[in-house]
Amino acid sequence: TVSTRKSKIKPTKYWIMKNLLLFLFVAVSLSVNAQNKELTTFYDSGVMKSRYVYTNAQNYTVSNYSTTGKLIEKGSFVNGKMDGVWTSYNEAGVKTAEAYYTDVNKSWDWRIFDETGNLRYVMSYDSNKLVHATNFDAAGKTVAETHTH
């Protein structure tokens, strides 16, 4: 005769813990290896405040928005430090600044624009030290220049 009795084997605490740990290991592995994870924050009004796009925990880009939803700043972090070009915009969408970082230090030429997008200042940095600055009028003519040694 064949028994029709159902097995009443209860999973042991060891079995539950082993499978829970296996599940957590797989979940963490998948999230660590996933590319371009996004995190978005919002103002109380529901308008997007910031968007972070991660390639991993230390390397990501960030875009910051005004309370009206306009892009006002974007840049990137490498190894958890500001790195590369950072660009700022006014509410009208006009570029107001372009700054460069190398491993969190100011570097290269930083450009500052007026509210209509005309270049007004260029400041040259080397390892966080200002080495040259030029001021332009609204027509683009050089009006002042400084050098440091």
Side-chain angles (χ1 to χ4, degrees), residues 18-32:
K18 180 180 86 168
N19 286 302
L20 180 61
L21 287 173
L22 178 63
F23 171 78
L24 290 173
F25 175 77
V26 170
V28 169
S29 295
L30 289 175
S31 68
V32 167

Side-chain angles (χ1 to χ4, degrees), residues 29-59:
S29 295
L30 289 175
S31 68
V32 167
N33 291 325
Q35 293 293 314
N36 295 334
K37 291 270 186 183
E38 287 191 21
L39 170 68
T40 305
T41 62
F42 298 89
Y43 291 103
D44 290 338
S45 65
V47 173
M48 183 174 18
K49 183 176 185 179
S50 299
R51 173 174 282 153
Y52 303 85
V53 179
Y54 292 86
T55 53
N56 63 45
Q58 295 292 309
N59 300 303

Side-chain angles (χ1 to χ4, degrees), residues 34-149:
Q35 293 293 314
N36 295 334
K37 291 270 186 183
E38 287 191 21
L39 170 68
T40 305
T41 62
F42 298 89
Y43 291 103
D44 290 338
S45 65
V47 173
M48 183 174 18
K49 183 176 185 179
S50 299
R51 173 174 282 153
Y52 303 85
V53 179
Y54 292 86
T55 53
N56 63 45
Q58 295 292 309
N59 300 303
Y60 55 95
T61 60
V62 62
S63 299
N64 295 312
Y65 298 84
S66 70
T67 56
T68 62
K70 303 284 185 175
L71 177 66
I72 55 173
E73 181 182 47
K74 65 181 179 179
S76 59
F77 288 81
V78 175
N79 296 321
K81 299 176 183 178
M82 294 173 80
D83 199 88
V85 64
W86 279 72
T87 308
S88 298
Y89 304 89
N90 64 20
E91 278 285 326
V94 176
K95 184 179 357 181
T96 56
E98 191 175 73
Y100 293 87
Y101 292 91
T102 303
D103 196 28
V104 88
N105 291 309
K106 295 176 183 176
S107 60
W108 303 79
D109 289 345
W110 284 36
R111 291 173 166 71
I112 308 298
F113 305 89
D114 65 20
E115 65 281 350
T116 61
N118 294 314
L119 180 63
R120 298 307 298 267
Y121 300 94
V122 174
M123 297 167 290
S124 299
Y125 289 91
D126 183 15
S127 298
N128 238 18
K129 181 181 176 187
L130 180 65
V131 293
H132 181 259
T134 306
N135 177 225
F136 304 94
D137 64 16
K141 181 180 176 190
T142 300
V143 294
E145 202 165 358
T146 61
H147 298 272
T148 59
H149 300 281

